[in-house]
């Protein structure tokens, strides 16, 4: 039986399931998008993330790790959650010699991270820096729609044997989340209800003894996401392009949505925290200065007629520009929490 057939059989036996259960099966089942043997976040995979674009991302974040290391001292551990291929950790450890751990649920990703130590869950106590790039947008979420001025949930059911969204009265925890975090969503608007992301952050903060958590992802505050609520932000990716409808090919597509940072800010409001853009964070850590040096380096190498150096500087320049692009990766947000 394929994953889609198993999901269909489950719904036929039990009735409609919440979207977060469908998403969890689609992504993390043994035949799910991240559950199988295929490595997903590499250049040849289905999506391209900042650490896969360039080791400059990790090398720049190494400065943040060093700052925290100086601030809190030993013992100090760098933990990356949802480490994918390990590209961020490898680049970071090239610049900073700290004790490191990757936390990954994907078996294919875990293999590729080796020889960096890897675990399936967070350590009980954290002292150091916890980093996660594009983790929260992949945590299972519920779906809601604004209908006649009320909230309705969209579960996954069977209509004439096909997987389709079905209308369900919203669960109390979903309504509570929407009331606090959705904002003034217009009639017909769709909202991804990110209860798991909120729970993950609450758990992570409670484990942090001292140090910082840095969560980088696409998304924004509820207010800034409002213009996108008509159709919602739920989408799939396949082979670097927007993929089919989320219910069409469970296991074969990445399912994701913009992270609602308003909900996350609420979790950390009593701690020292800031929400910044990726371009601002990386600039603060020196990447824009490096970019100026790469531009100068390219010009000088061209003047000298040194083609090899010119090409080397040009590719560094292009990588830095991609990480800082104000409408691309630079527009990602970073939530930083310190204890
Ligand atoms: C979009 S990929 C990002 C990979 C990497 N951080 C990067 O930027 O290239 C998300 C990763 O998070 C992992 N993941 C999802 N839920 C997780 C969890 N609860 N704990 C650890 N890893 C998780 C997935 O297996 C996947 O490898």
């Amino acid at each position: 039986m394929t994953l889609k057939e198993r999901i269909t059989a489950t719904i036929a036996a039990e009735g409609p399931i919440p979207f977060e259960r469908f998403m969890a099966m689609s992504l993390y089942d043994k035949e799910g998008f991240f559950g199988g043997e295929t490595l997903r976040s590499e250049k040849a995979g289905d999506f391209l993330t900042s650490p896969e674009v360039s080791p400059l991302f990790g090398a720049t974040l190494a400065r943040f790790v060093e700052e925290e290391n100086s601030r809190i001292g030993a013992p100090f551990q760098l933990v990356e959650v949802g480490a994918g291929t390990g590209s961020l950790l490898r680049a970071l450890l090239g610049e900073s010699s700290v004790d490191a751990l990757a936390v990954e649920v994907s078996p294919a990703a875990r293999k590729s991270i080796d020889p960096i130590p890897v675990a399936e869950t967070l350590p009980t106590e954290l002292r150091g820096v916890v980093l996660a790039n594009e983790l929260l947008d992949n945590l299972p979420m519920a779906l809601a729609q604004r209908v006649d001025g009320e909230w309705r949930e969209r579960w996954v059911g069977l209509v004439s044997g096909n997987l389709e969204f079905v209308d369900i009265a919203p669960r109390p925890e979903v309504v509570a989340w929407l009331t606090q975090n959705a904002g003034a969503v217009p009639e017909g608007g769709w909202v991804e209800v990110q209860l798991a992301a909120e729970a993950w952050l609450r758990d992570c903060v409670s484990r942090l003894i001292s140090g910082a958590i840095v969560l980088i992802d696409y998304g924004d505050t509820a207010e800034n996401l409002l213009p996108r609520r008509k159709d919602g932000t739920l989408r799939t990716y396949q082979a670097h392009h927007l993929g089919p409808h989320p219910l069409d090919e469970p296991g074969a597509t990445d399912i994701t949505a913009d992270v609602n940072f308003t909900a996350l800010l609420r979790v950390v409001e009593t701690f020292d925290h800031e929400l910044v853009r990726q371009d601002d964070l990386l600039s603060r850590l020196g990447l824009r200065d490096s970019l100026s040096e790469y531009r100068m380096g390219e010009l000088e190498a061209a003047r000298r007629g040194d083609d090899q150096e010119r090409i080397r500087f040009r590719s560094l320049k292009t990588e830095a520009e991609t990480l800082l692009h104000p409408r691309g990766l630079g527009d990602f947000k970073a939530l930083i929490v310190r204890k």
Side-chain angles (χ1 to χ4, degrees), residues 17 38 61 111 174 180 189-190 204 249 295 307 314 325:
I17 57 174
T38 314
L61 289 175
K111 271 187 216 155
V174 168
Q180 282 200 310
W190 289 75
C204 186
E249 296 180 31
R295 285 181 177 143
D307 263 3
R314 194 176 35 194
H325 197 291

Side-chain angles (χ1 to χ4, degrees), residues 13-332:
E14 298 175 20
I17 57 174
F19 185 74
E20 77 260 24
R21 186 166 166 207
F22 172 84
M23 186 166 165
M25 289 177 86
S26 301
L27 296 184
Y28 303 112
D29 180 272
K30 63 181 182 339
E31 287 176 81
F33 185 74
F34 292 114
E37 290 301 315
T38 314
L39 191 56
R40 297 298 186 173
S41 50
E42 60 180 349
K43 281 208 172 74
D46 294 272
F47 49 85
L48 205 53
T49 60
S50 293
E52 297 294 328
V53 163
S54 171
L56 289 173
F57 185 64
T60 307
L61 289 175
R63 294 180 201 141
F64 180 91
V65 172
E66 284 302 315
E67 283 170 12
E68 282 301 304
N69 199 358
S70 307
R71 183 174 75 88
I72 69 165
F76 185 96
Q77 189 178 40
L78 168 63
V79 178
E80 193 199 352
V81 190
T85 62
S87 51
L88 173 53
L89 269 184
R90 269 190 290 276
L92 234 152
L93 294 175
E95 301 293 320
S96 173
S97 51
V98 292
D99 176 31
L101 175 73
V103 178
E104 242 309 331
V105 294
S106 158
R110 276 206 301 277
K111 271 187 216 155
S112 78
I113 295 165
D114 189 62
I116 299 169
V118 51
E120 280 184 59
T121 51
L122 278 171
T124 321
E125 291 193 344
L126 298 158
R127 206 177 178 287
V129 169
V130 183
L131 260 180
N133 187 64
E134 294 199 30
L135 165 75
L136 300 182
D137 68 89
N138 272 144
L139 296 189
M141 43 194 91
L143 267 185
Q145 195 178 13
R146 195 86 184 144
V147 182
D148 297 332
E150 308 278 342
W151 289 111
R152 302 293 299 175
E153 259 195 88
R154 297 289 172 242
W155 285 25
V156 183
L158 288 176
V159 178
S160 312
N162 295 318
L163 295 174
E164 279 193 24
F165 286 133
V166 295
D167 177 68
I168 300 277
R171 291 164 287 172
E173 65 271 30
V174 168
V175 176
W177 189 97
L178 287 162
T179 307
Q180 282 200 310
N181 304 310
V185 177
E187 178 65 20
W190 289 75
V191 180
E192 307 81 24
V193 180
Q194 298 171 345
L195 286 161
E198 188 183 309
W200 183 90
L201 179 57
R202 205 177 294 285
D203 174 62
C204 186
V205 172
S206 75
R207 290 169 195 249
L208 184 70
I209 308 291
S210 182
I213 300 170
V214 184
L215 304 174
I216 303 175
D217 223 311
Y218 35 82
D220 217 319
T221 58
E223 194 187 9
N224 290 340
L225 287 173
L226 275 181
R228 303 191 52 201
R229 284 289 162 230
K230 184 174 169 293
D231 299 316
T233 70
L234 188 75
R235 58 198 181 272
T236 67
Y237 285 106
Q238 213 169 30
H240 297 292
H241 294 288
L242 281 174
H245 189 279
L247 302 186
D248 283 355
E249 296 180 31
T253 62
D254 183 16
I255 303 179
T256 178
D258 277 32
V259 171
N260 179 325
F261 280 95
T262 294
L264 303 179
L265 284 166
R266 208 178 295 284
V267 174
V268 299
E269 62 192 356
T270 58
F271 301 99
D272 177 9
H273 70 272
E274 56 179 329
L275 183 66
V276 291
R277 293 170 54 87
Q278 171 162 314
D279 50 7
D280 288 337
L281 176 64
L282 296 181
S283 299
R284 201 162 90 190
L285 295 169
L287 187 59
R288 212 170 281 281
D289 295 337
S290 303
L291 175 56
S292 305
E293 286 164 24
Y294 304 148
R295 285 181 177 143
M296 286 296 294
E298 187 189 3
L299 279 175
E300 278 164 18
R303 252 184 242 128
R304 287 198 309 276
D306 184 342
D307 263 3
Q308 216 176 340
E309 272 297 274
R310 185 179 57 77
I311 290 164
R312 189 178 74 83
F313 276 120
R314 194 176 35 194
S315 65
L316 285 168
K317 183 191 80 175
T318 307
E319 290 170 21
E321 283 170 346
T322 306
L323 294 173
L324 293 167
H325 197 291
R327 288 185 306 282
L329 292 171
D331 188 41
F332 280 35

